[in-house]
Amino acid sequence: MGSRQTKGSLAERASPGAAPGPRRERPDFWASLLLRAGDKAGRAGAGAGLPPYHRRVGMVQELLRMVRQGRREEAGTLLQHLRQDLGMESTSLDDVLYRYASFRNLVDPITHDLIISLARYIHCPKPEGDALGAMEKLCRQLTYHLSPHSQWRRHRGLAKRKPQACLKAVLAGSPPDNTVDLSGIPLSSRDLERVSSYLQRCGEQVDSVELGFTGLTDDMALQLLPALSALPRLTTLALNGNRLTRALLRDLTDALKDPSKFPHVTWIDLGNNVDIFSLPQPFLLSLRKRSPKQGHLPTILELGEGPGAGEEAREGTPATDHQEGKEAVAQT
């Protein structure tokens, strides 16, 4: 299904440096990549190793390099590993190119759509137009979305300071725009004590808490959970890009079952973590109870999980939020 090279394919648009002849293979690349992808220590959330976004961004950059060199088959294989690392477990190309209902419960729909677009360009190349330019744009968007660059852009003047100076500046006064934005600032367990105290002191003013790309593990998130769940006005909580695992979902779900905790939360972003790829129904239903008039919970299949539910679920997807996310990542 479009796996063969065609005239005008990316192979013909490879960079001048990619001269024809025997390819220089990198057998150690695949081994190291797969070893890191299945690193049990990292999945245990014990704090060892780097957050998974480092590995995923590296895979995207390597994929783009392969496409530029015309190594489409290898790029397709690497894309398969990236899909599996992001929880898109199926190895069937059809399942990736077409939006089956089984994929509607992914935590991160923006990454999902970008991966689908990459699969189309790699496996079903179109001879007309600037295919390589489109691929580069997709990889740039995916890199931007999976990495903390966008978070540092928001901090502007704080970006050049040391992490401790950034944390001190954020916690110095009242939260601007009712948002506590710590995204992109590496946090330690000791830092979390300061964050908890700040949330308890300014809790009445906090609508949103951004903790993406801060290096949080399960234990660190549990350390913050009492302070976060007690915020009376909190509506959105971002925990993306960390080292969180599925084990944390049990504690979050139990907290959401209590109406007195997270009383006004409408969404918790858990994308781009270790192995949190879908959310349990009790978790989602608890969010729906807190915002019954909000139709932006993309992973709730309103009429069940059967074949006929796909279209119903698709109609309930957050088209506005999704498009805004695409526009955000497209600004790179």
Side-chain angles (χ1 to χ4, degrees):
M1 184 176 174
S3 59
R4 297 179 58 187
Q5 297 273 352
T6 61
K7 292 182 180 180
S9 67
L10 296 184
E12 298 178 359
R13 297 192 181 118
S15 59
R23 295 172 180 168
R24 291 184 297 174
E25 302 294 341
R26 297 174 60 192
D28 58 321
F29 169 76
W30 296 107
S32 61
L33 210 56
L34 295 177
L35 179 62
R36 284 178 286 172
D39 187 354
K40 299 298 182 181
R43 290 185 181 275
L50 295 171
Y53 77 81
H54 287 272
R55 175 180 66 249
R56 291 163 185 164
V57 168
M59 294 171 80
V60 173
Q61 293 172 345
E62 179 67 13
L63 186 148
L64 179 58
R65 190 180 71 86
M66 290 176 175
V67 171
R68 284 171 173 166
Q69 295 177 354
R71 297 156 58 190
R72 188 179 302 279
E73 184 175 348
E74 294 176 67
T77 302
L78 180 55
L79 179 62
Q80 176 179 318
H81 294 310
L82 177 59
R83 289 189 345 242
Q84 292 173 339
D85 194 38
L86 288 166
M88 302 170 68
E89 295 293 348
S90 175
T91 57
S92 168
L93 178 60
D94 288 343
D95 284 353
V96 175
L97 295 182
Y98 303 101
R99 305 181 185 191
Y100 289 174
S102 59
F103 286 100
R104 301 312 301 170
N105 65 342
L106 289 178
V107 170
D108 188 349
I110 295 177
T111 294
H112 182 219
D113 274 9
L114 289 172
I115 290 292
I116 288 175
S117 298
L118 280 177
R120 289 197 178 106
Y121 275 102
I122 290 176
H123 295 284
C124 308
K126 296 181 180 180
E128 70 277 3
D130 186 8
L132 179 57
M135 274 287 301
E136 289 176 339
K137 181 178 180 180
L138 282 171
C139 289
R140 188 166 63 247
Q141 290 176 336
L142 192 54
T143 298
Y144 183 87
H145 182 60
L146 292 176
S147 63
H149 302 307
S150 57
Q151 319 300 329
W152 281 112
R153 181 175 293 181
R154 289 209 304 265
H155 286 298
R156 297 183 182 276
L158 300 181
K160 297 181 180 181
R161 301 187 188 181
K162 294 182 179 179
Q164 286 298 317
C166 293
L167 178 63
K168 183 177 181 180
V170 173
L171 303 182
S174 299
D177 300 322
N178 299 321
T179 298
V180 179
D181 189 355
L182 298 172
S183 54
I185 302 176
L187 299 176
S188 65
S189 295
R190 185 174 181 179
D191 294 332
L192 296 184
E193 296 177 3
R194 298 171 59 189
V195 175
S196 295
S197 299
Y198 178 81
L199 293 177
Q200 292 170 5
R201 186 171 67 253
C202 302
E204 294 290 340
Q205 308 172 51
V206 178
D207 293 340
S208 175
V209 176
E210 300 280 344
L211 290 166
F213 303 99
T214 54
L216 290 181
T217 62
D218 289 359
D219 289 340
M220 295 171 71
L222 291 176
Q223 184 179 342
L224 274 179
L225 189 58
L228 290 170
S229 62
L231 295 174
R233 293 177 47 185
L234 183 67
T235 56
T236 58
L237 172 61
L239 299 171
N240 57 303
N242 289 301
R243 290 178 284 175
L244 306 178
T245 72
R246 287 178 294 185
L248 181 66
L249 288 177
R250 183 183 308 169
D251 297 278
L252 288 175
T253 302
D254 288 343
L256 287 171
K257 288 179 180 178
D258 184 347
S260 66
K261 297 179 179 178
F262 294 111
H264 291 99
V265 162
T266 57
W267 191 243
I268 300 177
D269 185 357
L270 290 162
N272 199 15
N273 276 287
V274 176
D275 59 357
I276 302 177
F277 307 129
S278 61
L279 299 173
Q281 287 294 317
F283 181 102
L284 296 166
L285 293 175
S286 295
L287 289 178
R288 172 55 62 88
K289 290 178 181 178
R290 285 164 168 78
S291 54
K293 295 182 180 180
Q294 180 169 328
H296 297 322
L297 299 183
T299 57
I300 292 182
L301 299 182
E302 300 280 357
L303 300 180
E305 307 243 359
E311 293 299 323
E312 301 294 334
R314 191 171 294 116
E315 291 176 3
T317 56
T320 301
D321 293 349
H322 195 166
Q323 185 62 32
E324 289 176 354
K326 282 185 174 181
E327 292 173 358
V329 299
Q331 291 175 359
T332 56

